[in-house]
Amino acid sequence: MSVPLSRDAAWSLLSEWVQSPSLRRHCRCVELAMTAAARERGLDDAEVELWAVTGLLHDMDYERHPDMDAPDGHPRTALRVLEELDAPPELVRGIASHADFLGVSRDSELEKTLFAVDELSGFVVAVAAVRPEGLRGMTAKSVKKKLKTPAFAAAVSRDDIREGAAALGVELDDHIRFVIGALEPHAAELELEGDAGS
C-alpha cells in the first residue's frame, strides 16, 4: 500500500536531486499552479498536497538524466525512485503522463492539469524575466504576444500550451491568467519582482 509523500519530504527529495536554481524555480512554479488548481476544484487538504507534490517533483530527475531517449532518462529515473519510495500511484502516473513519449494517457484532472501548467509556467517565467515589472501586473495579452514570437523561449512548446488548455476545456487566455494568478503572489520568492525587487 502506498504512503502519502508530504510536501516537506518532497522538497527534501527535490533538493537532493536538483541543484540548478532555475530548475528548482520551475518545479516550484508548477507546484504553485497545481496547488491553485486543486484548491479551485475544492479538493481536500490531502488531495491538494498530492497535486502540489506531483508538480514539485515532476522534473526531479531532469538535471541528472536529461536524455529522454536513454533507458534511465527523464522521467524514468524519477518514476523508479518514487515507486521505490512507495509514493502514491496517482503521483507516479501523473509524472509519467506529462512525458508524451512514454505513451501514458492523461485521464485524470491531476494528469491533465500537470501537463497544462508545466510548459506554460516555464513560459510565464521567461516573460516575467524580461519585463521591468517581473510578474507584477502581467496580462494574458503580453504572454500571448510573446507566444507569437518563435525565437522567444524557443524551447517551450506552443502546441503543448494550447493542447493543455484545450484538454482542460478552458480558453487559452483564461488559462494564462490562472497561471499568472498562481505565481504572482510569490514573485519575491521566485525572484521575479522585476525592478521592484532590486
Side-chain angles (χ1 to χ4, degrees), residues 36-115:
R39 286 184 176 143
E40 185 182 62
R41 287 165 172 77
L43 301 180
D44 64 31
D45 289 347
E47 286 289 314
V48 170
E49 187 166 56
L50 173 66
W51 282 49
V53 167
T54 303
L56 187 65
L57 296 178
H58 79 287
D59 278 348
M60 64 172 265
D61 63 348
Y62 186 77
E63 186 175 87
R64 294 190 199 175
H65 300 279
D67 182 356
M68 297 179 219
D69 293 325
D72 63 348
H74 169 71
R76 296 173 185 89
T77 295
L79 300 176
R80 177 180 54 75
V81 169
L82 291 166
E83 285 172 346
E84 287 170 358
L85 291 173
D86 210 14
E90 302 95 328
L91 184 158
V92 176
R93 193 179 193 283
I95 291 175
S97 74
H98 96 283
D100 277 343
F101 54 88
L102 292 184
V104 177
S105 60
R106 287 183 283 275
D107 303 328
S108 70
E109 286 295 297
L110 181 153
E111 291 159 6
K112 291 174 184 176
T113 304
L114 177 62
F115 181 77

Side-chain angles (χ1 to χ4, degrees), residues 17-53:
W17 279 79
V18 177
Q19 304 307 311
S20 161
S22 62
L23 184 54
R24 280 192 190 185
R25 177 168 67 179
H26 171 65
C27 291
R28 175 72 174 126
C29 287
V30 175
E31 175 195 11
L32 290 168
M34 291 291 286
T35 300
R39 286 184 176 143
E40 185 182 62
R41 287 165 172 77
L43 301 180
D44 64 31
D45 289 347
E47 286 289 314
V48 170
E49 187 166 56
L50 173 66
W51 282 49
V53 167

